[in-house]
């Protein structure tokens, strides 16, 4: 059993062949504290990169969910179908972070940022002092404002709990109606179809995945899904939902007056950047937290990365906001370099994948 060493002393470690090497341990007072807010791919990628770079300062990650940082793409694919378990979603085991001296505060939410005093307040009434703060707050699902939108059986997919709830309902023979023909909705359509669920996709635009792909790709995926037996309806707007016994959804009402029968409904109409904390703290936001090519906000002590940011990319003239794992990882690497005192600007070509 290793004996605990007091803080602030010179530690001695035994090296190869019994040689002795010295390293000067930093005291808690000497070390700065970097706080990461968020538990998604951007936060996890930043934490992992700091581990790889042997970042010497204290790192605390605050995550609202009870899970360590995890990857979200499988939630609509092989995790939803039960092909992989929850543990496989985690970017790293908790022990990896703890062994490196990093602290995870899970299941707690940041409710306020006090930039003047460099303090954040948490939902459990505690506070944390920071020297550097990184906002990786991600996004939230866009809600459909329509009559009956709060009925039982209507789902959104954003986190592990959402996927668990939806998976329980996806039983062969059930009728699933997906509102929205973006890549998340279509990934769920493919997963549910493979499980024997009767799937209908309702898209208000005149082609699938219109926001992220060109017409050729839209046509390809339309053919792919319809050939597999998915009922895909374009130019089809939703106006509300039909209720049955005990407040459960039984159908989706359309603008043309029709009704599509449903046992389960997934609303997948995009996401919004999670900027409330930043806005309340007085940081500039414009459809995302505004950051420069080094992921810095207007406050030099505050960085921001991932889906929640509108960022500067040196490859483009205009600032942009991207919702992709690739962007989350690339921005995390840039932020890690900034925290290490390196000047490595963000200049990555945007891309994403979709498994349908």
């Amino acid at each position: 059993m290793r004996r605990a060493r007091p803080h602030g002393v010179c530690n001695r470690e035994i090296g190869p062949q019994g040689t002795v090497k010295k390293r000067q341990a930093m005291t808690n007072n000497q070390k700065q504290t970097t706080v990461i807010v968020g538990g998604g791919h951007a936060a996890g990628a930043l934490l992992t990169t700091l581990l790889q770079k042997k970042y010497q300062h204290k790192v605390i990650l605050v995550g609202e969910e009870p899970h360590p940082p995890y990857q979200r793409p499988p939630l609509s694919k092989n995790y939803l179908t039960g092909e992989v378990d929850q543990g496989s979603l985690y970017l790293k085991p908790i022990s990896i972070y703890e062994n490196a001296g990093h602290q995870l505060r899970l299941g707690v939410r940041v409710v306020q940022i006090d930039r003047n005093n460099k303090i954040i307040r948490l939902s459990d009434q505690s506070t944390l002092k920071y020297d550097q703060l990184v906002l990786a707050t991600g996004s939230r699902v866009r809600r459909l404002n329509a009559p009956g939108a709060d009925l039982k059986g209507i789902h959104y997919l954003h986190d592990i709990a959402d996927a668990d709830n939806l998976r329980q309902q996806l039983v062969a023979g059930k009728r699933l109606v997906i509102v929205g023909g973006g890549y998340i909705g279509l990934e769920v359509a493919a997963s549910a179809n493979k499980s024997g669920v009767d799937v209908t996709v309702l898209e208000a635009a005149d082609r699938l995945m219109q926001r992220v792909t060109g017409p050729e790709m839209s046509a390809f995926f339309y053919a792919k899904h319809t050939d597999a037996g998915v009922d895909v309806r374009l130019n089809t707007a939703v106006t509300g939902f039909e209720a049955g016994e005990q407040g459960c959804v039984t159908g989706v009402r359309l603008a043309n007056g029709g009704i599509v029968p449903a046992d389960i409904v997934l609303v997948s109409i995009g996401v919004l950047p999670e900027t409330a904390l930043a806005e309340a703290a007085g940081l500039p936001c414009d459809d995302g937290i505004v950051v420069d090519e080094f992921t810095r906000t207007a406050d030099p002590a505050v960085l921001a990365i991932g889906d929640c940011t509108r960022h500067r990319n040196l490859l483009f003239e205009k600032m942009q906001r991207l919702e992709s794992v690739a962007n989350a990882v690339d921005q995390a690497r840039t932020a890690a370099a900034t925290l290490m005192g390196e000047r490595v600007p963000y200049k990555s070509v945007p891309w994403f994948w979709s498994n349908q």
Side-chain angles (χ1 to χ4, degrees):
M1 177 179 296
R2 297 180 63 185
R3 296 177 58 189
R5 301 188 182 101
H7 293 298
V9 300
C10 182
N11 294 328
R12 298 167 65 86
E13 296 181 342
I14 305 299
Q17 289 82 44
T19 60
V20 177
K21 57 180 180 178
K22 296 182 179 181
R23 63 179 174 86
Q24 180 65 44
M26 299 179 71
T27 67
N28 283 341
N29 290 332
Q30 290 174 312
K31 283 190 175 183
Q32 294 186 354
T33 298
T34 299
V35 176
I36 303 171
V37 181
H41 219 114
L46 174 57
L47 203 52
T48 298
T49 306
L50 291 176
L51 285 173
Q52 294 168 345
K53 285 177 168 288
K54 295 180 170 52
Y55 188 59
Q56 293 299 305
H57 296 304
K58 181 179 180 180
V59 179
I60 303 174
L61 182 144
V62 181
E64 187 171 354
E65 293 183 63
H67 311 286
Y70 65 91
Q71 49 186 331
R72 296 184 190 271
L75 298 182
S76 55
K77 298 186 277 283
N78 51 2
Y79 181 74
L80 186 65
T81 58
E83 298 172 59
V84 299
D85 62 12
Q86 189 177 107
S88 69
L89 302 181
Y90 299 156
L91 296 177
K92 297 283 185 183
I94 293 180
S95 59
I96 297 294
Y97 305 122
E98 293 176 340
N99 291 341
H102 297 335
Q103 181 183 349
L104 302 186
R105 294 283 301 273
L106 303 177
V108 64
R109 180 169 50 88
V110 178
V111 296
Q112 186 184 30
I113 301 170
D114 179 351
R115 292 198 291 128
N116 291 330
N117 297 300
K118 292 189 175 181
I119 291 173
I120 60 172
R121 294 180 173 82
L122 309 181
S123 57
D124 63 1
Q125 309 303 316
S126 64
T127 60
L128 287 175
K129 185 84 174 174
Y130 68 84
D131 295 286
Q132 292 289 329
L133 179 65
V134 183
L135 300 178
T137 48
S139 58
R140 65 185 188 279
V141 294
R142 188 188 298 272
R143 299 277 170 173
L144 181 60
N145 184 16
D150 57 349
L151 292 173
K152 295 178 183 177
I154 297 179
H155 297 262
Y156 291 84
L157 181 56
H158 188 63
D159 56 31
I160 287 176
D162 292 336
D164 289 342
N165 292 333
L166 181 59
R167 181 170 53 188
Q168 294 174 4
Q169 304 298 316
L170 295 181
V171 179
K174 287 285 189 73
R175 299 167 299 181
L176 168 66
V177 175
I178 299 174
V179 181
Y183 65 90
I184 298 297
L186 294 177
E187 287 169 358
V188 173
S191 299
N193 179 262
K194 186 168 67 172
S195 301
V197 176
D198 181 13
V199 183
T200 300
V201 174
L202 307 176
E203 170 55 53
D206 59 4
R207 60 184 177 90
L208 297 174
M209 302 174 67
Q210 187 179 75
R211 191 170 64 86
V212 294
T213 63
E216 295 84 359
M217 291 297 292
S218 296
F220 171 82
F221 280 109
Y222 179 87
K224 189 77 172 175
H225 284 278
T226 54
D227 288 348
V230 177
D231 181 5
V232 180
R233 306 186 191 186
L234 303 176
N235 297 300
T236 303
V238 170
T239 59
F241 302 93
E242 293 287 304
E245 296 180 358
Q246 299 178 335
C248 295
V249 66
T250 59
V252 181
R253 292 200 301 269
L254 308 180
N256 62 14
I259 296 177
V260 181
D263 302 304
I264 320 153
V265 172
L266 172 69
V267 177
S268 183
I269 55 174
V271 298
L272 298 169
E274 191 59 82
T275 60
L277 268 177
E279 290 179 33
L283 294 170
C285 296
D286 177 18
D287 185 38
I289 305 169
V290 176
V291 297
D292 65 10
E293 65 270 27
F294 299 104
T295 72
R296 300 175 301 193
T297 70
D299 184 334
V302 183
L303 310 182
I305 56 176
D307 288 6
C308 65
T309 66
R310 176 167 290 279
H311 59 271
R312 175 73 63 190
N313 184 330
L314 295 189
L315 296 179
F316 300 93
E317 293 182 2
K318 294 182 179 180
M319 299 186 73
Q320 57 189 320
R321 187 173 68 82
L322 296 175
E323 301 158 11
S324 72
V325 170
N327 172 65
V329 172
D330 289 338
Q331 277 198 300
R333 290 171 179 161
T334 297
T338 299
L339 290 171
M340 296 287 292
E342 305 165 2
R343 293 184 64 81
V344 181
Y346 183 91
K347 51 180 179 179
S348 298
V349 176
W351 69 281
F352 76 98
W353 75 87
S354 178
N355 183 355
Q356 300 175 34

